[in-house]
Amino acid sequence: MQKVYMSWAIVLLSLTAFSQETHLKNITKLTFGGDNAEAYFSPNGSMLTLQVTNKELGASCDQIYTLNLNEKTFSPQSLKRISNGKGRTTCSYFMPDGQHIIFASTHGSQNECPPPPKPRDGKYLWAIYPEFDLYIADLNGNIVKQLTNSPGYDAEAVVSPDGKKIAFTSTRSGDLELWTMDIDGSNLKQVTYGLGYDGGSFFSHDSKKLVFRASRPKTEEAIAEYKSLLQENVVAPTEMEIYTCNIDGSDLKQITHLGKANWAPFFHPSDQKIIFSSNHHATRGYDFQLYMIDVDGSHLKQITFESEFNAFPMFSPDGKKLVFSSNRQQQAARETNVFIADWVDIDPAEYVDEVAAKKHISYLASDELKGRLAGSKEEQKAAKYLNDEFKKLGLKPYQGKSYSIPFEYKYKLNPKDSLNPQEVSIKANNVVAFLDNKAAKAIVIGAHYDHLGVNEHGNSTKMNSKGEIHNGADDNASGVAGVLELARMLSQNKTTEKANYIFALFSGEEDGLIGSKALSEVIKTQTPNTVAMINMDMIGRLNDSKDLVVGGTGTCPEFPKMIERNKPAGFHVTQDESGTGPTDHTSFYLKDMAVLNFFTGTHNDYHKPSDDEDKINYYGVKNVIEYVARCVHDLSNLEKIEFTKTKANAGKTRPKYKVTMGIMPDYTEHPDGLHVDGVTDNRPAQKAGIQEGDVITKIGTLVIKDVYGYMEALAKINPGDEVEVVFTRNGAAQTVKVKFE
């Protein structure tokens, strides 16, 4: 990046309406009102058993119901109660004959509903009612057998697909562990032994493995808290991961290492993937989404995006349907309903290859390439690498027989020094590939691959750094990795999209968008049906708040909604309407194309030798690439991508200015002023005492609300001017005088 910067009827949700949920088609609402959860299929897939709390149905606390999926319409009256209405029940599951249901209930000890625990110290608590025992009932609600009658918690029972085993969670050993028994209740065996809550287990489709959620307290404090809560028959389910093991407990493996609450796992029909619910992404508030992960812990993929609670997924026996619980389409607060959808399996080619992304960034940002200065032999070496990557994918060169498209320009070595007009002539290369889907429109997906070299052109933010390698891992090896991954995904998948794609890797960006300007002119002439450009510049340093800026959202009326509905869970996206900005999408906007630019923000290593690969946030890179992929999918399906000019004064355009303050601004929007992400050594801001984390609110007479107000203020200041700057630090206002350079 340049230094200058619904009624009782069935509700169908079409794939177009929520296009980001590409693995769920024809989503259908099955329940209406109350709290409906843990819905699981019968062996033949024709019925569901579920637990319901709905006072209108006479279920004041969780009771077990069935739902016949062969009905043509669904209403509250479609539910048939199986439990006796006494006490509280949980976790029902069909027995192998499809005519009986196993569930846990407290009715053997009391007729009343035991009260749920209240949150403590801000922590949500689950009750482990010791009165729970396992029962079997027929489909008419007659309890035909009690399977357990031991002191303590026995619940969460599931049946193996081969009909031979029952797995359940019990405290009979003194801890919450997994147990199995034969289908008749005999041959009890303990499966897990680790301290912590092991529960919510399900069998693999071959009946050989179990997948389950587990808490594993490690510190003395966490262990003491867990044991203390268990004595009170509660657990705090805020830290859980997904595990698998053989049904005898051997080969125990931790699958997720995500933090927070990962739970409600179920095996994909292949038994090679696991679908589960997680809030690991959440930075604030309550948010659970469904994810899929391979059994080796790789290829994490978000499945749901709609609403803030999605859990309890289960595949139908034939693998064609997914049932899950969600608070989408609420008609009342705290309402959770059951939904069913056609399952669209995941195309392996559309997973982001994190290993490949890391390889691309590591090589491009290695000392071997010496910062990839435009026109240097190292830039040519980088271009060869990019050529080879496009060739491996079988993509066509955009122009001629080579992916490299040369261009020339002159660069003034010291643009601020009017007395020294020395210029150098630079010969550089864009690297461009083409995916021809025989479509009526084309979309450019781009990023710049050049950086500052060893600061020959003086663009570093570190003083006296000539001769030091500026590797540019974030700026912009990260964006290049994004383009290469999208090129792979779009060219190797099984789908023929409704757009042709131009994968463009620019040089000369750091010297003023030179390469993208040259290429945009070629594309406008050679491919006049090019309607949009997506740019990635600095997507490698996602912060802890998961802030992301998407520029250009005002250049097409469809963009704001598209950006919102496709955003990754937990991300906080700032939409910048302007079609212009300090990177390559500007060149295409000026050719009347709708544009988007993805940017995870500046940082203290920006344009310094310290922008190295080891600081890349690969979780962020993966999620941004997936985000762009979803947007590209939406764009390709739009019948018309309407270009809209953005207002010059709306912003977020950059005024020209002659001075520098020496700060790195936070480009995300904040209500209290311009947040300082970093301060350059020996520049005006540092000399005046301004620090990283300060919030600038006023420069001279201008109130500063964001980075664009800051730029407007700089445009009115001349070198040598001494101006008062007001900022807040830890909530306290301070005023300093800054002498601008």
Side-chain angles (χ1 to χ4, degrees):
M1 180 169 284
Q2 283 183 283
K3 178 170 63 176
V4 195
Y5 260 87
M6 198 127 331
S7 74
W8 300 123
I10 297 176
V11 179
L12 294 177
L13 301 181
S14 71
L15 190 62
T16 302
F18 295 107
S19 60
Q20 73 276 38
E21 294 185 335
T22 53
H23 304 295
L24 306 176
K25 188 177 181 181
N26 298 324
I27 301 175
T28 304
K29 189 175 181 181
L30 298 177
T31 62
F32 303 87
D35 188 3
N36 308 269
E38 300 201 48
Y40 304 122
F41 285 98
S42 62
N44 65 5
S46 66
M47 297 183 70
L48 294 177
T49 177
L50 64 155
Q51 68 187 44
V52 177
T53 297
N54 189 340
K55 292 182 179 179
E56 292 186 10
L57 296 178
S60 57
C61 71
D62 293 334
Q63 294 296 316
I64 304 304
Y65 286 75
T66 58
L67 179 67
N68 186 347
L69 294 174
N70 291 322
E71 293 188 12
K72 293 182 178 179
T73 59
F74 300 100
S75 72
Q77 286 68 45
S78 301
L79 294 169
K80 179 182 177 181
R81 196 177 74 200
I82 299 300
S83 57
N84 60 18
K86 299 176 182 178
R88 184 185 293 272
T89 65
T90 193
C91 303
S92 59
Y93 211 84
F94 274 95
M95 296 296 283
D97 61 3
Q99 300 301 307
H100 294 84
I101 293 171
I102 185 173
F103 60 92
S105 178
T106 65
H107 76 265
S109 298
Q110 57 187 31
N111 291 337
E112 296 76 24
C113 292
K118 295 180 179 179
R120 187 180 308 171
D121 299 325
K123 288 186 177 181
Y124 174 65
L125 300 179
W126 274 351
I128 306 298
Y129 298 113
E131 298 85 5
F132 268 139
D133 278 305
L134 297 176
Y135 297 86
I136 297 175
D138 63 24
L139 298 187
N140 292 317
N142 301 307
I143 294 177
V144 299
K145 189 172 185 178
Q146 181 174 349
L147 280 176
T148 62
N149 191 22
S150 62
Y153 180 84
D154 291 305
E156 305 175 32
V158 293
V159 179
S160 62
D162 65 9
K164 295 179 180 179
K165 292 284 184 182
I166 295 170
F168 66 104
T169 296
S170 177
T171 55
R172 61 187 61 212
S173 67
D175 190 19
L176 283 158
E177 306 288 5
L178 294 183
W179 290 71
T180 60
M181 56 180 156
D182 290 347
I183 201 69
D184 61 0
S186 64
N187 194 23
L188 274 166
K189 289 185 178 179
Q190 186 173 344
V191 177
T192 59
Y193 292 86
L195 180 71
Y197 178 16
D198 297 340
S201 68
F202 289 95
F203 286 91
S204 57
H205 291 78
D206 62 8
S207 301
K208 294 180 180 180
K209 285 188 171 290
L210 290 169
V211 62
F212 60 98
R213 62 178 177 242
S215 67
R216 288 286 187 267
K218 297 291 194 301
T219 65
E220 289 185 10
E221 181 182 4
I223 291 169
E225 181 187 45
Y226 171 76
K227 289 181 175 179
S228 174
L229 289 174
L230 192 58
Q231 289 295 313
E232 301 177 47
N233 299 311
V234 293
V235 293
T238 53
E239 298 289 337
M240 297 187 294
E241 300 289 353
I242 306 300
Y243 287 73
T244 61
C245 67
N246 294 330
I247 59 172
D248 63 359
S250 62
D251 196 27
L252 178 69
K253 292 180 180 177
Q254 183 175 342
I255 306 303
T256 63
H257 298 80
L258 298 172
K260 298 191 179 180
N262 305 279
W263 59 299
F266 197 87
F267 278 105
H268 178 269
S270 67
D271 284 340
Q272 298 305 303
K273 303 176 188 296
I274 297 163
I275 192 169
F276 64 102
S277 181
S278 177
N279 70 340
H280 76 273
H281 54 267
T283 54
R284 59 179 84 114
Y286 175 81
D287 187 7
F288 284 91
Q289 302 297 335
L290 296 182
Y291 287 83
M292 186 84 83
I293 195 168
D294 286 2
V295 292
D296 64 1
S298 65
H299 290 148
L300 180 70
K301 188 174 182 67
Q302 187 177 341
I303 302 299
T304 60
F305 292 77
E306 177 68 12
S307 85
E308 293 182 339
F309 181 80
N310 299 274
F312 306 114
M314 181 191 187
F315 286 100
S316 60
D318 63 7
K320 294 181 179 180
K321 302 279 187 182
L322 185 81
V323 67
F324 63 103
S325 299
S326 177
N327 63 11
R328 62 185 68 200
Q329 299 179 48
Q330 282 183 332
Q331 295 184 341
R334 300 181 179 277
E335 182 179 291
T336 304
N337 285 295
V338 173
F339 294 80
I340 193 170
D342 296 332
W343 176 256
V344 180
D345 225 333
I346 294 172
D347 185 341
E350 293 184 355
Y351 279 112
V352 172
D353 187 339
E354 296 173 72
V355 174
K358 183 176 175 65
K359 183 194 82 166
H360 299 322
I361 295 172
S362 297
Y363 177 70
L364 293 170
S366 65
D367 284 353
E368 179 184 345
L369 292 190
K370 294 185 178 178
R372 312 181 305 278
L373 183 74
S376 68
K377 64 180 182 180
E378 288 79 21
E379 180 240 38
Q380 294 174 16
K381 200 170 185 178
K384 182 182 183 306
Y385 176 86
L386 302 175
N387 272 264
D388 291 345
E389 292 300 313
F390 282 149
K391 188 175 182 179
K392 287 177 189 175
L393 298 175
L395 292 165
K396 298 177 182 178
Y398 177 69
Q399 191 178 70
K401 295 182 179 180
S402 172
Y403 299 101
S404 290
I405 302 176
F407 62 94
E408 293 185 37
Y409 64 102
K410 293 186 182 297
Y411 185 75
K412 189 175 180 181
L413 287 178
N414 194 347
K416 292 182 180 179
D417 187 353
S418 59
L419 299 178
N420 182 5
Q422 184 184 359
E423 290 183 335
V424 293
S425 182
I426 295 173
K427 296 180 179 180
N429 292 275
N430 292 321
V431 183
V432 193
F434 185 62
L435 175 59
D436 188 358
N437 287 322
K438 310 300 181 186
K441 62 178 176 286
I443 296 170
V444 180
I445 301 174
H448 76 89
Y449 72 95
D450 67 307
H451 194 52
L452 307 188
V454 292
N455 197 25
E456 294 96 323
H457 293 179
N459 287 327
S460 178
T461 59
K462 181 184 177 184
M463 295 290 289
N464 304 316
S465 59
K466 280 199 174 179
E468 294 186 54
I469 298 173
H470 290 62
N471 280 320
D474 185 28
D475 187 13
N476 183 36
S478 63
V480 174
V483 173
L484 291 176
E485 269 301 281
L486 287 162
R488 181 191 59 78
M489 294 160 71
L490 290 165
S491 64
Q492 307 302 306
N493 66 7
K494 298 172 184 176
T495 304
T496 301
E497 288 82 7
K498 297 175 183 177
N500 304 324
Y501 296 107
I502 301 168
F503 301 105
L505 299 169
F506 313 110
S507 189
E509 192 270 359
E510 299 290 6
D511 289 341
L513 316 184
I514 310 296
S516 59
K517 183 176 184 291
L519 186 63
S520 67
E521 292 170 353
V522 172
I523 288 175
K524 190 71 174 178
T525 302
Q526 185 169 313
T527 315
N529 64 341
T530 304
V531 293
M533 190 271 179
I534 294 180
N535 193 56
M536 287 170 282
D537 194 351
M538 296 176 63
I539 61 168
R541 296 288 288 271
L542 187 73
N543 62 21
D544 291 342
S545 299
K546 298 182 180 175
D547 293 316
L548 177 72
V549 178
V550 181
T553 59
T555 63
C556 175
E558 296 293 329
F559 281 178
K561 290 181 291 184
M562 183 184 77
I563 290 302
E564 181 61 26
R565 69 173 173 259
N566 283 300
K567 71 179 181 181
F571 273 50
H572 304 117
V573 176
T574 296
Q575 293 196 28
D576 177 350
E577 293 183 359
S578 177
T580 61
T583 186
D584 293 302
H585 67 290
T586 299
S587 299
F588 293 85
Y589 168 77
L590 295 175
K591 296 296 181 183
D592 293 341
M593 296 181 201
V595 296
L596 290 171
N597 180 62
F598 291 77
F599 170 52
T600 54
T602 53
H603 43 77
N604 204 40
D605 301 301
Y606 171 66
H607 273 203
K608 288 182 180 177
S610 52
D611 181 10
D612 286 323
E613 184 274 333
D614 60 352
K615 295 175 182 174
I616 294 294
N617 179 340
Y618 282 101
Y619 172 89
V621 170
K622 170 185 175 293
N623 274 271
V624 173
I625 296 172
E626 289 178 342
Y627 189 9
V628 175
R630 290 191 294 273
C631 292
V632 167
H633 177 269
D634 271 14
L635 280 175
S636 68
N637 286 326
L638 283 177
E639 288 188 14
K640 183 179 180 182
I641 299 176
E642 181 183 343
F643 172 70
T644 306
K645 283 191 177 292
T646 56
K647 296 179 182 178
N649 60 357
K652 308 221 163 177
T653 54
R654 177 179 54 81
K656 294 181 179 179
Y657 49 91
K658 298 166 281 187
V659 297
T660 179
M661 190 170 173
I663 67 165
M664 281 157 284
D666 179 349
Y667 279 76
T668 53
E669 292 183 353
H670 298 279
D672 54 347
L674 174 74
H675 286 229
V676 178
D677 259 3
V679 179
T680 305
D681 294 342
N682 298 314
R683 303 305 285 273
Q686 189 203 47
K687 291 175 182 178
I690 294 173
Q691 301 176 7
E692 179 182 349
D694 290 345
V695 180
I696 295 173
T697 58
K698 195 173 183 181
I699 297 177
T701 59
L702 287 179
V703 175
I704 308 301
K705 295 182 178 179
D706 54 24
V707 67
Y708 301 96
Y710 165 70
M711 290 177 175
E712 183 182 349
L714 292 192
K716 298 180 178 180
I717 299 172
N718 293 310
D721 287 354
E722 195 169 34
V723 180
E724 283 192 348
V725 175
V726 181
F727 63 91
T728 60
R729 180 180 299 162
N730 300 322
Q734 299 186 40
T735 301
V736 295
K737 285 192 174 182
V738 176
K739 188 172 183 179
F740 285 85
E741 298 174 357

